[in-house]
Amino acid sequence: QHAPQRRFTHLVPMHRGEGGPRRPFFLVAGMFGNVLNLRHLAQLLGHDRPFYGLQARGLMGEDAPHDDFTAAARDYIAEMRQVQPRGPYLLGGFSGGGLIAWEIARQLEAAGEEVPLLVLLDTPVPLRPALSRTDKALIKLAELRARGPGYLLEWARARAEWKRRQDQPAQAQADSAFHNTAIEAAFRAALPRYAMPQRYGATVLFRPPLDRRWQVSGGQWVSSAKEYVFADNDLTRFAPALQVIEVPGDHDSMVLEPNVRVLAVGMKQAIEAAEPAPVSLAQAAE
């Protein structure tokens, strides 16, 4: 049986798995809450498996975006249960959406449900460690050596531009149907409030090749975005059983053609290994 004919706030059928016996897969959109960049992945995972994207509240319309991951997960679960009343549930999240998927898994397991697999698509920890003063200085020194004195002027201009943007009030995107600015602000407000719990179930992180731009103190590396580089996105301390799989592309292009084809193969393998047995939605509802 397919999903009831009703309007969902969060749940977006990317395809309904026409005639397929597989359990549905639910994937939470990234920080901006839009599932459109996941459409290639949905198709490549196969039409024998229903695929649902979970998009942010307030993406369209006047509803206020969630600024709390616990509340967001609770609302997402309510809609997930409309199409799959009971588990096991197969979950994932792209980028920051992986944090909400993490909380969905926690709430489902606390309710007695099984989550045999959580897929994370380059998901970061809620709060990345800040660069130390020493490491900031090492980066400036490396750039000065590589680019000469002109780097200092470029740095000063970039710093002034960054401060100018910080001082400006956020402007609504009047020319867009999507409320990206408000959703991003709500998501960022939720980050420091989320106490990420331990997860002991199967968890697979798909991430692009590491961006090691600068080597700093202690043998650590810093990326072009000036963030410390961790081969596991610093997630193993929260998920001891974490499996890490590298895929081509970068953070955004890993879910787009042509890179998404490699990601889809890896995800299919992980899902099929975790799935208890092929089952129809009608059987799952019984």
Side-chain angles (χ1 to χ4, degrees):
Q1 297 293 322
H2 296 314
Q5 294 301 310
R6 55 157 293 187
R7 185 184 178 203
F8 293 107
T9 300
H10 309 292
L11 203 66
V12 180
M14 309 293 279
H15 69 68
R16 297 186 184 276
E18 294 87 346
R22 302 302 185 96
R23 288 184 182 275
F25 186 80
F26 300 92
L27 187 65
V28 183
M31 177 174 66
F32 295 104
N34 197 321
V35 300
L36 289 179
N37 65 327
L38 305 174
R39 63 191 183 278
H40 303 290
L41 179 60
Q43 299 300 318
L44 289 169
L45 278 186
H47 283 274
D48 60 345
R49 183 182 305 282
F51 187 111
Y52 293 94
L54 288 159
Q55 68 182 14
R57 186 176 71 186
L59 184 68
M60 294 176 286
E62 302 303 321
D63 293 333
H66 286 108
D67 60 2
D68 178 86
F69 293 158
T70 303
R74 184 172 59 245
D75 289 349
Y76 287 5
I77 289 171
E79 294 197 9
M80 289 167 58
R81 287 191 183 276
Q82 295 296 312
V83 298
Q84 186 186 342
R86 290 197 294 273
Y89 289 95
L90 301 170
L91 299 173
F94 171 65
S95 188
L99 299 175
I100 300 176
W102 193 291
E103 177 60 20
I104 290 173
R106 184 198 70 79
Q107 291 186 25
L108 286 171
E109 290 172 337
E113 300 287 5
E114 182 183 356
V115 181
L117 177 66
L118 175 62
V119 172
L120 305 174
L121 305 184
D122 204 24
T123 294
V125 294
L127 294 177
R128 295 183 175 96
L131 294 183
S132 68
R133 288 187 176 182
T134 298
D135 291 343
K136 289 179 181 178
L138 287 172
I139 291 171
K140 289 187 179 69
L141 181 60
E143 288 297 290
L144 183 60
R145 286 172 174 168
R147 298 161 60 183
Y151 164 71
L152 295 177
L153 180 59
E154 293 177 18
W155 177 85
R157 287 173 176 168
R159 178 72 179 177
E161 176 61 19
W162 175 84
K163 189 175 186 308
R164 184 187 68 80
R165 290 198 304 267
Q166 294 299 308
D167 291 341
Q168 286 181 340
Q171 298 295 320
Q173 297 185 2
D175 59 343
S176 174
F178 303 121
H179 301 163
N180 293 341
T181 303
I183 290 171
E184 179 186 6
F187 185 92
R188 292 190 181 280
L191 286 171
R193 295 201 291 266
Y194 186 54
M196 197 167 182
Q198 289 281 310
R199 172 169 169 77
Y200 297 99
T203 309
V204 181
L205 170 69
F206 291 90
R207 60 145 179 83
L210 300 176
D211 173 17
R212 290 180 168 136
R213 174 74 181 272
W214 298 284
Q215 189 169 25
V216 292
S217 63
Q220 289 181 294
W221 287 88
V222 173
S223 70
S224 300
K226 295 188 177 177
E227 297 168 341
Y228 288 117
V229 176
F230 298 94
D232 63 348
N233 285 16
D234 202 21
L235 287 168
T236 301
R237 59 192 173 109
F238 299 103
L242 183 74
Q243 179 184 4
V244 181
I245 299 175
E246 183 171 294
V247 294
D250 57 26
H251 180 76
D252 294 313
S253 68
M254 63 183 284
V255 296
L256 304 176
E257 292 281 10
N259 301 318
V260 68
R261 294 182 177 272
V262 177
L263 172 62
V265 169
M267 283 184 62
K268 286 178 74 172
Q269 292 173 346
I271 292 169
E272 289 170 5
E275 190 172 28
V279 64
S280 68
L281 286 177
Q283 290 172 306
E286 291 175 0

